[in-house]
Amino acid sequence: MTTFYKEFQKVFLSVDCIIFGFDNSKLKVLIGRRQMDPGRGEWSLYGGFVAASESIEECAARTLFELTGLRNLYMRQVGAFGQVDRDPGERVISIAYYALINVKDYDEKQLKEHGVEWVDIQALPQLYSDHNEMIRKALKLMRQKLRTEPVGFRLLPSLFTLTQLQRLYEAVTGEEIDKRNFRKRIKDMDFIEKTELIDKTGSKRGAFLYRFNKRTYNEDPNFKL
C-alpha cells in the first residue's frame, strides 16, 4: 500500500445482494437476520465488504456464491447507496446488485445454514438501513429489463407451463395480464418451445410443458412483451 491520500478520511465499500426468486406464483426476496453490529438481529439483505484485492463485481459474485453455492448467476448492478448516515457504525458506501435464481436450486439446508428465508416481495418487513430502497430500485430495473429481454426464465425451472410463465410476469410487473393476449404473444416467440411433456400436478387433464431456447433467442433477439 502507498502513503498517498492520507489527508482524506477513509470510507468502507461494501456490496449488498438482492436475490429474487419465484415460488407459488409469488416474487420473493432472500433476506435474513443481521449477524453483526450495528443492527444485529434486524432483517437485512446479504452483503459483504469489498477486499483490497477484488473489484466490486468480483465481490458481488463472491458474496452470491458464499450464500447460494451457485456460480455464473444472472447479476446486474442496481446502483450506489451512499447517504452519510446510512450506516450508524462507520461511513459505508454500498453498491447493490440483484440476481435471479430458481428457488429449487436453493434447498432448505442452505436456508438454515445461512439463516435466510424467502419472503414475498409484497410482505417485506422493515429492513436494515436503506435495504428496502435497494429492493424497490432493483425491482424497477428488473421490470424494465423484463420487457426487452427474457430474463424471467432464470426464475423458472427448465420446463414450465404457460400459466407459470404468465404468473411470473404478473408477479414481477404487479399487474394482471389478459390470458388470451398473453398466449397469443407467446405463440409468436420462436424461442419458447412447446414440448410433448405434460404437467398433471394442477389438473387431471394437465398442461403442456414449455422450455426456453437460448440459441434461438440469440439468433433473433427481437423480443418485447
Side-chain angles (χ1 to χ4, degrees), residues 41-75:
E42 294 183 30
W43 287 108
S44 171
L45 294 171
Y46 195 85
F49 286 97
V50 181
S53 60
E54 63 184 356
S55 68
I56 54 175
E57 289 82 8
E58 290 170 339
C59 178
R62 172 179 59 80
T63 301
L64 284 169
F65 177 74
E66 290 174 354
L67 178 60
T68 67
L70 303 173
R71 296 191 186 276
N72 301 318
L73 293 175
Y74 178 88
M75 179 181 76

PDB file of all heavy atoms in Angstrom, residues 41-75:
ATOM      1  N   GLY A  41     -29.619  -8.592  14.485  1.00  0.00           N
ATOM      2  CA  GLY A  41     -30.970  -9.103  14.673  1.00  0.00           C
ATOM      3  C   GLY A  41     -32.015  -8.486  13.763  1.00  0.00           C
ATOM      4  O   GLY A  41     -33.135  -8.999  13.661  1.00  0.00           O
ATOM      5  N   GLU A  42     -31.680  -7.389  13.067  1.00  0.00           N
ATOM      6  CA  GLU A  42     -32.636  -6.771  12.159  1.00  0.00           C
ATOM      7  C   GLU A  42     -32.667  -7.522  10.829  1.00  0.00           C
ATOM      8  O   GLU A  42     -31.675  -8.118  10.414  1.00  0.00           O
ATOM      9  CB  GLU A  42     -32.245  -5.308  11.896  1.00  0.00           C
ATOM     10  CG  GLU A  42     -32.340  -4.399  13.113  1.00  0.00           C
ATOM     11  CD  GLU A  42     -32.013  -2.955  12.785  1.00  0.00           C
ATOM     12  OE1 GLU A  42     -32.264  -2.541  11.630  1.00  0.00           O
ATOM     13  OE2 GLU A  42     -31.483  -2.254  13.668  1.00  0.00           O
ATOM     14  N   TRP A  43     -33.829  -7.476  10.174  1.00  0.00           N
ATOM     15  CA  TRP A  43     -33.929  -8.075   8.847  1.00  0.00           C
ATOM     16  C   TRP A  43     -33.006  -7.318   7.892  1.00  0.00           C
ATOM     17  O   TRP A  43     -32.923  -6.100   7.946  1.00  0.00           O
ATOM     18  CB  TRP A  43     -35.353  -8.026   8.324  1.00  0.00           C
ATOM     19  CG  TRP A  43     -36.284  -8.993   8.990  1.00  0.00           C
ATOM     20  CD1 TRP A  43     -37.289  -8.701   9.864  1.00  0.00           C
ATOM     21  CD2 TRP A  43     -36.295 -10.413   8.830  1.00  0.00           C
ATOM     22  NE1 TRP A  43     -37.931  -9.856  10.263  1.00  0.00           N
ATOM     23  CE2 TRP A  43     -37.343 -10.916   9.641  1.00  0.00           C
ATOM     24  CE3 TRP A  43     -35.534 -11.307   8.076  1.00  0.00           C
ATOM     25  CZ2 TRP A  43     -37.632 -12.281   9.717  1.00  0.00           C
ATOM     26  CZ3 TRP A  43     -35.816 -12.667   8.163  1.00  0.00           C
ATOM     27  CH2 TRP A  43     -36.862 -13.141   8.966  1.00  0.00           C
ATOM     28  N   SER A  44     -32.353  -8.069   7.012  1.00  0.00           N
ATOM     29  CA  SER A  44     -31.331  -7.443   6.173  1.00  0.00           C
ATOM     30  C   SER A  44     -31.103  -8.243   4.901  1.00  0.00           C
ATOM     31  O   SER A  44     -31.390  -9.444   4.833  1.00  0.00           O
ATOM     32  CB  SER A  44     -30.019  -7.357   6.965  1.00  0.00           C
ATOM     33  OG  SER A  44     -28.938  -6.946   6.158  1.00  0.00           O
ATOM     34  N   LEU A  45     -30.586  -7.569   3.886  1.00  0.00           N
ATOM     35  CA  LEU A  45     -30.061  -8.259   2.713  1.00  0.00           C
ATOM     36  C   LEU A  45     -28.727  -8.897   3.078  1.00  0.00           C
ATOM     37  O   LEU A  45     -28.138  -8.586   4.113  1.00  0.00           O
ATOM     38  CB  LEU A  45     -29.863  -7.269   1.561  1.00  0.00           C
ATOM     39  CG  LEU A  45     -31.122  -6.637   0.970  1.00  0.00           C
ATOM     40  CD1 LEU A  45     -30.748  -5.523  -0.001  1.00  0.00           C
ATOM     41  CD2 LEU A  45     -31.977  -7.690   0.263  1.00  0.00           C
ATOM     42  N   TYR A  46     -28.243  -9.765   2.215  1.00  0.00           N
ATOM     43  CA  TYR A  46     -26.952 -10.406   2.436  1.00  0.00           C
ATOM     44  C   TYR A  46     -25.892  -9.618   1.693  1.00  0.00           C
ATOM     45  O   TYR A  46     -26.058  -9.288   0.516  1.00  0.00           O
ATOM     46  CB  TYR A  46     -26.997 -11.852   1.926  1.00  0.00           C
ATOM     47  CG  TYR A  46     -25.864 -12.721   2.407  1.00  0.00           C
ATOM     48  CD1 TYR A  46     -25.939 -13.369   3.635  1.00  0.00           C
ATOM     49  CD2 TYR A  46     -24.730 -12.911   1.637  1.00  0.00           C
ATOM     50  CE1 TYR A  46     -24.916 -14.181   4.081  1.00  0.00           C
ATOM     51  CE2 TYR A  46     -23.691 -13.727   2.063  1.00  0.00           C
ATOM     52  CZ  TYR A  46     -23.791 -14.357   3.292  1.00  0.00           C
ATOM     53  OH  TYR A  46     -22.755 -15.165   3.738  1.00  0.00           O
ATOM     54  N   GLY A  47     -24.804  -9.302   2.368  1.00  0.00           N
ATOM     55  CA  GLY A  47     -23.761  -8.500   1.733  1.00  0.00           C
ATOM     56  C   GLY A  47     -22.388  -8.784   2.297  1.00  0.00           C
ATOM     57  O   GLY A  47     -22.191  -9.708   3.081  1.00  0.00           O
ATOM     58  N   GLY A  48     -21.435  -7.964   1.887  1.00  0.00           N
ATOM     59  CA  GLY A  48     -20.073  -8.133   2.366  1.00  0.00           C
ATOM     60  C   GLY A  48     -19.221  -6.948   1.966  1.00  0.00           C
ATOM     61  O   GLY A  48     -19.597  -6.158   1.093  1.00  0.00           O
ATOM     62  N   PHE A  49     -18.072  -6.808   2.599  1.00  0.00           N
ATOM     63  CA  PHE A  49     -17.163  -5.706   2.301  1.00  0.00           C
ATOM     64  C   PHE A  49     -16.220  -6.089   1.161  1.00  0.00           C
ATOM     65  O   PHE A  49     -15.808  -7.240   1.030  1.00  0.00           O
ATOM     66  CB  PHE A  49     -16.356  -5.328   3.539  1.00  0.00           C
ATOM     67  CG  PHE A  49     -17.167  -4.587   4.564  1.00  0.00           C
ATOM     68  CD1 PHE A  49     -17.738  -5.251   5.638  1.00  0.00           C
ATOM     69  CD2 PHE A  49     -17.378  -3.215   4.445  1.00  0.00           C
ATOM     70  CE1 PHE A  49     -18.504  -4.575   6.569  1.00  0.00           C
ATOM     71  CE2 PHE A  49     -18.145  -2.528   5.370  1.00  0.00           C
ATOM     72  CZ  PHE A  49     -18.714  -3.204   6.436  1.00  0.00           C
ATOM     73  N   VAL A  50     -15.898  -5.104   0.350  1.00  0.00           N
ATOM     74  CA  VAL A  50     -15.008  -5.315  -0.791  1.00  0.00           C
ATOM     75  C   VAL A  50     -13.568  -5.399  -0.291  1.00  0.00           C
ATOM     76  O   VAL A  50     -13.091  -4.499   0.408  1.00  0.00           O
ATOM     77  CB  VAL A  50     -15.138  -4.165  -1.810  1.00  0.00           C
ATOM     78  CG1 VAL A  50     -14.217  -4.401  -3.004  1.00  0.00           C
ATOM     79  CG2 VAL A  50     -16.589  -4.021  -2.271  1.00  0.00           C
ATOM     80  N   ALA A  51     -12.895  -6.474  -0.660  1.00  0.00           N
ATOM     81  CA  ALA A  51     -11.493  -6.643  -0.266  1.00  0.00           C
ATOM     82  C   ALA A  51     -10.602  -5.782  -1.152  1.00  0.00           C
ATOM     83  O   ALA A  51     -10.961  -5.426  -2.273  1.00  0.00           O
ATOM     84  CB  ALA A  51     -11.096  -8.109  -0.375  1.00  0.00           C
ATOM     85  N   ALA A  52      -9.419  -5.462  -0.638  1.00  0.00           N
ATOM     86  CA  ALA A  52      -8.488  -4.606  -1.380  1.00  0.00           C
ATOM     87  C   ALA A  52      -8.043  -5.253  -2.691  1.00  0.00           C
ATOM     88  O   ALA A  52      -7.651  -4.560  -3.635  1.00  0.00           O
ATOM     89  CB  ALA A  52      -7.274  -4.290  -0.510  1.00  0.00           C
ATOM     90  N   SER A  53      -8.119  -6.578  -2.764  1.00  0.00           N
ATOM     91  CA  SER A  53      -7.612  -7.289  -3.934  1.00  0.00           C
ATOM     92  C   SER A  53      -8.696  -7.649  -4.949  1.00  0.00           C
ATOM     93  O   SER A  53      -8.420  -8.354  -5.915  1.00  0.00           O
ATOM     94  CB  SER A  53      -6.918  -8.578  -3.485  1.00  0.00           C
ATOM     95  OG  SER A  53      -7.842  -9.409  -2.785  1.00  0.00           O
ATOM     96  N   GLU A  54      -9.942  -7.179  -4.760  1.00  0.00           N
ATOM     97  CA  GLU A  54     -11.003  -7.564  -5.683  1.00  0.00           C
ATOM     98  C   GLU A  54     -11.806  -6.356  -6.159  1.00  0.00           C
ATOM     99  O   GLU A  54     -11.888  -5.332  -5.474  1.00  0.00           O
ATOM    100  CB  GLU A  54     -11.942  -8.588  -5.032  1.00  0.00           C
ATOM    101  CG  GLU A  54     -12.691  -8.091  -3.824  1.00  0.00           C
ATOM    102  CD  GLU A  54     -13.536  -9.168  -3.162  1.00  0.00           C
ATOM    103  OE1 GLU A  54     -13.617 -10.302  -3.662  1.00  0.00           O
ATOM    104  OE2 GLU A  54     -14.127  -8.862  -2.101  1.00  0.00           O
ATOM    105  N   SER A  55     -12.407  -6.511  -7.335  1.00  0.00           N
ATOM    106  CA  SER A  55     -13.281  -5.473  -7.869  1.00  0.00           C
ATOM    107  C   SER A  55     -14.646  -5.603  -7.205  1.00  0.00           C
ATOM    108  O   SER A  55     -14.932  -6.612  -6.532  1.00  0.00           O
ATOM    109  CB  SER A  55     -13.424  -5.630  -9.385  1.00  0.00           C
ATOM    110  OG  SER A  55     -14.140  -6.818  -9.688  1.00  0.00           O
ATOM    111  N   ILE A  56     -15.511  -4.611  -7.415  1.00  0.00           N
ATOM    112  CA  ILE A  56     -16.838  -4.710  -6.803  1.00  0.00           C
ATOM    113  C   ILE A  56     -17.635  -5.848  -7.447  1.00  0.00           C
ATOM    114  O   ILE A  56     -18.422  -6.515  -6.766  1.00  0.00           O
ATOM    115  CB  ILE A  56     -17.606  -3.378  -6.898  1.00  0.00           C
ATOM    116  CG1 ILE A  56     -17.681  -2.870  -8.336  1.00  0.00           C
ATOM    117  CG2 ILE A  56     -16.988  -2.346  -5.984  1.00  0.00           C
ATOM    118  CD1 ILE A  56     -18.529  -1.627  -8.495  1.00  0.00           C
ATOM    119  N   GLU A  57     -17.431  -6.095  -8.756  1.00  0.00           N
ATOM    120  CA  GLU A  57     -18.125  -7.204  -9.413  1.00  0.00           C
ATOM    121  C   GLU A  57     -17.657  -8.539  -8.843  1.00  0.00           C
ATOM    122  O   GLU A  57     -18.465  -9.451  -8.626  1.00  0.00           O
ATOM    123  CB  GLU A  57     -17.873  -7.176 -10.928  1.00  0.00           C
ATOM    124  CG  GLU A  57     -18.567  -6.055 -11.669  1.00  0.00           C
ATOM    125  CD  GLU A  57     -17.789  -4.737 -11.587  1.00  0.00           C
ATOM    126  OE1 GLU A  57     -16.633  -4.743 -11.072  1.00  0.00           O
ATOM    127  OE2 GLU A  57     -18.316  -3.710 -12.046  1.00  0.00           O
ATOM    128  N   GLU A  58     -16.354  -8.653  -8.605  1.00  0.00           N
ATOM    129  CA  GLU A  58     -15.821  -9.886  -8.020  1.00  0.00           C
ATOM    130  C   GLU A  58     -16.349 -10.084  -6.608  1.00  0.00           C
ATOM    131  O   GLU A  58     -16.658 -11.209  -6.206  1.00  0.00           O
ATOM    132  CB  GLU A  58     -14.300  -9.839  -8.019  1.00  0.00           C
ATOM    133  CG  GLU A  58     -13.679  -9.954  -9.401  1.00  0.00           C
ATOM    134  CD  GLU A  58     -12.190  -9.660  -9.403  1.00  0.00           C
ATOM    135  OE1 GLU A  58     -11.700  -9.000  -8.454  1.00  0.00           O
ATOM    136  OE2 GLU A  58     -11.508 -10.081 -10.368  1.00  0.00           O
ATOM    137  N   CYS A  59     -16.469  -8.997  -5.865  1.00  0.00           N
ATOM    138  CA  CYS A  59     -17.000  -9.089  -4.505  1.00  0.00           C
ATOM    139  C   CYS A  59     -18.455  -9.533  -4.535  1.00  0.00           C
ATOM    140  O   CYS A  59     -18.874 -10.380  -3.738  1.00  0.00           O
ATOM    141  CB  CYS A  59     -16.873  -7.743  -3.801  1.00  0.00           C
ATOM    142  SG  CYS A  59     -17.552  -7.740  -2.114  1.00  0.00           S
ATOM    143  N   ALA A  60     -19.243  -8.981  -5.460  1.00  0.00           N
ATOM    144  CA  ALA A  60     -20.649  -9.359  -5.571  1.00  0.00           C
ATOM    145  C   ALA A  60     -20.785 -10.830  -5.948  1.00  0.00           C
ATOM    146  O   ALA A  60     -21.605 -11.562  -5.376  1.00  0.00           O
ATOM    147  CB  ALA A  60     -21.348  -8.479  -6.604  1.00  0.00           C
ATOM    148  N   ALA A  61     -19.977 -11.287  -6.913  1.00  0.00           N
ATOM    149  CA  ALA A  61     -20.023 -12.687  -7.332  1.00  0.00           C
ATOM    150  C   ALA A  61     -19.610 -13.607  -6.180  1.00  0.00           C
ATOM    151  O   ALA A  61     -20.208 -14.673  -5.965  1.00  0.00           O
ATOM    152  CB  ALA A  61     -19.119 -12.905  -8.539  1.00  0.00           C
ATOM    153  N   ARG A  62     -18.571 -13.197  -5.434  1.00  0.00           N
ATOM    154  CA  ARG A  62     -18.120 -13.994  -4.280  1.00  0.00           C
ATOM    155  C   ARG A  62     -19.207 -14.069  -3.215  1.00  0.00           C
ATOM    156  O   ARG A  62     -19.483 -15.136  -2.655  1.00  0.00           O
ATOM    157  CB  ARG A  62     -16.840 -13.383  -3.704  1.00  0.00           C
ATOM    158  CG  ARG A  62     -16.401 -14.014  -2.382  1.00  0.00           C
ATOM    159  CD  ARG A  62     -15.117 -13.403  -1.849  1.00  0.00           C
ATOM    160  NE  ARG A  62     -15.210 -11.976  -1.623  1.00  0.00           N
ATOM    161  CZ  ARG A  62     -15.776 -11.427  -0.539  1.00  0.00           C
ATOM    162  NH1 ARG A  62     -16.346 -12.190   0.392  1.00  0.00           N
ATOM    163  NH2 ARG A  62     -15.775 -10.108  -0.392  1.00  0.00           N
ATOM    164  N   THR A  63     -19.821 -12.935  -2.939  1.00  0.00           N
ATOM    165  CA  THR A  63     -20.858 -12.891  -1.914  1.00  0.00           C
ATOM    166  C   THR A  63     -22.043 -13.772  -2.300  1.00  0.00           C
ATOM    167  O   THR A  63     -22.593 -14.502  -1.471  1.00  0.00           O
ATOM    168  CB  THR A  63     -21.335 -11.440  -1.699  1.00  0.00           C
ATOM    169  OG1 THR A  63     -20.207 -10.635  -1.311  1.00  0.00           O
ATOM    170  CG2 THR A  63     -22.396 -11.362  -0.611  1.00  0.00           C
ATOM    171  N   LEU A  64     -22.433 -13.707  -3.570  1.00  0.00           N
ATOM    172  CA  LEU A  64     -23.533 -14.550  -4.042  1.00  0.00           C
ATOM    173  C   LEU A  64     -23.184 -16.029  -3.946  1.00  0.00           C
ATOM    174  O   LEU A  64     -24.016 -16.857  -3.554  1.00  0.00           O
ATOM    175  CB  LEU A  64     -23.883 -14.191  -5.487  1.00  0.00           C
ATOM    176  CG  LEU A  64     -24.675 -12.898  -5.688  1.00  0.00           C
ATOM    177  CD1 LEU A  64     -24.721 -12.531  -7.168  1.00  0.00           C
ATOM    178  CD2 LEU A  64     -26.080 -13.029  -5.132  1.00  0.00           C
ATOM    179  N   PHE A  65     -21.943 -16.362  -4.278  1.00  0.00           N
ATOM    180  CA  PHE A  65     -21.528 -17.762  -4.209  1.00  0.00           C
ATOM    181  C   PHE A  65     -21.508 -18.250  -2.758  1.00  0.00           C
ATOM    182  O   PHE A  65     -21.914 -19.378  -2.464  1.00  0.00           O
ATOM    183  CB  PHE A  65     -20.151 -17.943  -4.844  1.00  0.00           C
ATOM    184  CG  PHE A  65     -19.640 -19.360  -4.741  1.00  0.00           C
ATOM    185  CD1 PHE A  65     -20.175 -20.364  -5.534  1.00  0.00           C
ATOM    186  CD2 PHE A  65     -18.623 -19.678  -3.849  1.00  0.00           C
ATOM    187  CE1 PHE A  65     -19.721 -21.668  -5.431  1.00  0.00           C
ATOM    188  CE2 PHE A  65     -18.156 -20.979  -3.743  1.00  0.00           C
ATOM    189  CZ  PHE A  65     -18.708 -21.978  -4.533  1.00  0.00           C
ATOM    190  N   GLU A  66     -21.023 -17.401  -1.850  1.00  0.00           N
ATOM    191  CA  GLU A  66     -20.995 -17.785  -0.436  1.00  0.00           C
ATOM    192  C   GLU A  66     -22.388 -18.092   0.085  1.00  0.00           C
ATOM    193  O   GLU A  66     -22.578 -18.984   0.918  1.00  0.00           O
ATOM    194  CB  GLU A  66     -20.367 -16.663   0.394  1.00  0.00           C
ATOM    195  CG  GLU A  66     -18.865 -16.491   0.175  1.00  0.00           C
ATOM    196  CD  GLU A  66     -18.305 -15.281   0.909  1.00  0.00           C
ATOM    197  OE1 GLU A  66     -19.108 -14.517   1.500  1.00  0.00           O
ATOM    198  OE2 GLU A  66     -17.079 -15.084   0.882  1.00  0.00           O
ATOM    199  N   LEU A  67     -23.368 -17.351  -0.394  1.00  0.00           N
ATOM    200  CA  LEU A  67     -24.735 -17.526   0.080  1.00  0.00           C
ATOM    201  C   LEU A  67     -25.465 -18.658  -0.632  1.00  0.00           C
ATOM    202  O   LEU A  67     -26.192 -19.427  -0.006  1.00  0.00           O
ATOM    203  CB  LEU A  67     -25.526 -16.225  -0.099  1.00  0.00           C
ATOM    204  CG  LEU A  67     -27.007 -16.262   0.305  1.00  0.00           C
ATOM    205  CD1 LEU A  67     -27.154 -16.621   1.787  1.00  0.00           C
ATOM    206  CD2 LEU A  67     -27.665 -14.926   0.033  1.00  0.00           C
ATOM    207  N   THR A  68     -25.270 -18.787  -1.938  1.00  0.00           N
ATOM    208  CA  THR A  68     -26.066 -19.741  -2.719  1.00  0.00           C
ATOM    209  C   THR A  68     -25.318 -21.000  -3.144  1.00  0.00           C
ATOM    210  O   THR A  68     -25.943 -22.015  -3.442  1.00  0.00           O
ATOM    211  CB  THR A  68     -26.605 -19.071  -3.993  1.00  0.00           C
ATOM    212  OG1 THR A  68     -25.498 -18.772  -4.870  1.00  0.00           O
ATOM    213  CG2 THR A  68     -27.347 -17.784  -3.658  1.00  0.00           C
ATOM    214  N   GLY A  69     -23.977 -20.910  -3.220  1.00  0.00           N
ATOM    215  CA  GLY A  69     -23.219 -22.042  -3.745  1.00  0.00           C
ATOM    216  C   GLY A  69     -23.322 -22.137  -5.256  1.00  0.00           C
ATOM    217  O   GLY A  69     -22.872 -23.120  -5.856  1.00  0.00           O
ATOM    218  N   LEU A  70     -23.893 -21.106  -5.890  1.00  0.00           N
ATOM    219  CA  LEU A  70     -24.109 -21.106  -7.340  1.00  0.00           C
ATOM    220  C   LEU A  70     -23.188 -20.097  -8.007  1.00  0.00           C
ATOM    221  O   LEU A  70     -22.965 -19.009  -7.480  1.00  0.00           O
ATOM    222  CB  LEU A  70     -25.563 -20.758  -7.654  1.00  0.00           C
ATOM    223  CG  LEU A  70     -26.631 -21.656  -7.023  1.00  0.00           C
ATOM    224  CD1 LEU A  70     -28.016 -21.080  -7.276  1.00  0.00           C
ATOM    225  CD2 LEU A  70     -26.534 -23.077  -7.576  1.00  0.00           C
ATOM    226  N   ARG A  71     -22.683 -20.462  -9.167  1.00  0.00           N
ATOM    227  CA  ARG A  71     -21.818 -19.564  -9.937  1.00  0.00           C
ATOM    228  C   ARG A  71     -22.515 -19.151 -11.230  1.00  0.00           C
ATOM    229  O   ARG A  71     -23.495 -19.758 -11.653  1.00  0.00           O
ATOM    230  CB  ARG A  71     -20.483 -20.238 -10.249  1.00  0.00           C
ATOM    231  CG  ARG A  71     -19.637 -20.569  -9.018  1.00  0.00           C
ATOM    232  CD  ARG A  71     -18.237 -20.987  -9.426  1.00  0.00           C
ATOM    233  NE  ARG A  71     -17.441 -21.440  -8.288  1.00  0.00           N
ATOM    234  CZ  ARG A  71     -16.777 -20.618  -7.480  1.00  0.00           C
ATOM    235  NH1 ARG A  71     -16.811 -19.311  -7.692  1.00  0.00           N
ATOM    236  NH2 ARG A  71     -16.048 -21.097  -6.474  1.00  0.00           N
ATOM    237  N   ASN A  72     -21.970 -18.107 -11.845  1.00  0.00           N
ATOM    238  CA  ASN A  72     -22.473 -17.619 -13.132  1.00  0.00           C
ATOM    239  C   ASN A  72     -23.957 -17.278 -13.094  1.00  0.00           C
ATOM    240  O   ASN A  72     -24.716 -17.583 -14.026  1.00  0.00           O
ATOM    241  CB  ASN A  72     -22.199 -18.659 -14.234  1.00  0.00           C
ATOM    242  CG  ASN A  72     -20.730 -18.977 -14.387  1.00  0.00           C
ATOM    243  OD1 ASN A  72     -19.885 -18.086 -14.358  1.00  0.00           O
ATOM    244  ND2 ASN A  72     -20.410 -20.252 -14.525  1.00  0.00           N
ATOM    245  N   LEU A  73     -24.379 -16.668 -12.001  1.00  0.00           N
ATOM    246  CA  LEU A  73     -25.763 -16.234 -11.882  1.00  0.00           C
ATOM    247  C   LEU A  73     -26.007 -14.976 -12.712  1.00  0.00           C
ATOM    248  O   LEU A  73     -25.075 -14.218 -12.994  1.00  0.00           O
ATOM    249  CB  LEU A  73     -26.100 -15.931 -10.420  1.00  0.00           C
ATOM    250  CG  LEU A  73     -26.109 -17.105  -9.447  1.00  0.00           C
ATOM    251  CD1 LEU A  73     -26.335 -16.612  -8.020  1.00  0.00           C
ATOM    252  CD2 LEU A  73     -27.189 -18.112  -9.827  1.00  0.00           C
ATOM    253  N   TYR A  74     -27.258 -14.782 -13.098  1.00  0.00           N
ATOM    254  CA  TYR A  74     -27.615 -13.523 -13.752  1.00  0.00           C
ATOM    255  C   TYR A  74     -27.529 -12.433 -12.687  1.00  0.00           C
ATOM    256  O   TYR A  74     -28.240 -12.473 -11.682  1.00  0.00           O
ATOM    257  CB  TYR A  74     -29.025 -13.600 -14.326  1.00  0.00           C
ATOM    258  CG  TYR A  74     -29.475 -12.317 -14.981  1.00  0.00           C
ATOM    259  CD1 TYR A  74     -29.208 -12.074 -16.325  1.00  0.00           C
ATOM    260  CD2 TYR A  74     -30.145 -11.334 -14.258  1.00  0.00           C
ATOM    261  CE1 TYR A  74     -29.607 -10.886 -16.936  1.00  0.00           C
ATOM    262  CE2 TYR A  74     -30.537 -10.154 -14.857  1.00  0.00           C
ATOM    263  CZ  TYR A  74     -30.274  -9.933 -16.189  1.00  0.00           C
ATOM    264  OH  TYR A  74     -30.664  -8.758 -16.787  1.00  0.00           O
ATOM    265  N   MET A  75     -26.665 -11.456 -12.887  1.00  0.00           N
ATOM    266  CA  MET A  75     -26.406 -10.434 -11.884  1.00  0.00           C
ATOM    267  C   MET A  75     -26.278  -9.078 -12.563  1.00  0.00           C
ATOM    268  O   MET A  75     -25.582  -8.946 -13.570  1.00  0.00           O
ATOM    269  CB  MET A  75     -25.111 -10.779 -11.126  1.00  0.00           C
ATOM    270  CG  MET A  75     -24.701  -9.795 -10.060  1.00  0.00           C
ATOM    271  SD  MET A  75     -23.137 -10.293  -9.270  1.00  0.00           S
ATOM    272  CE  MET A  75     -21.951  -9.824 -10.565  1.00  0.00           C
TER     273      MET A  75
END
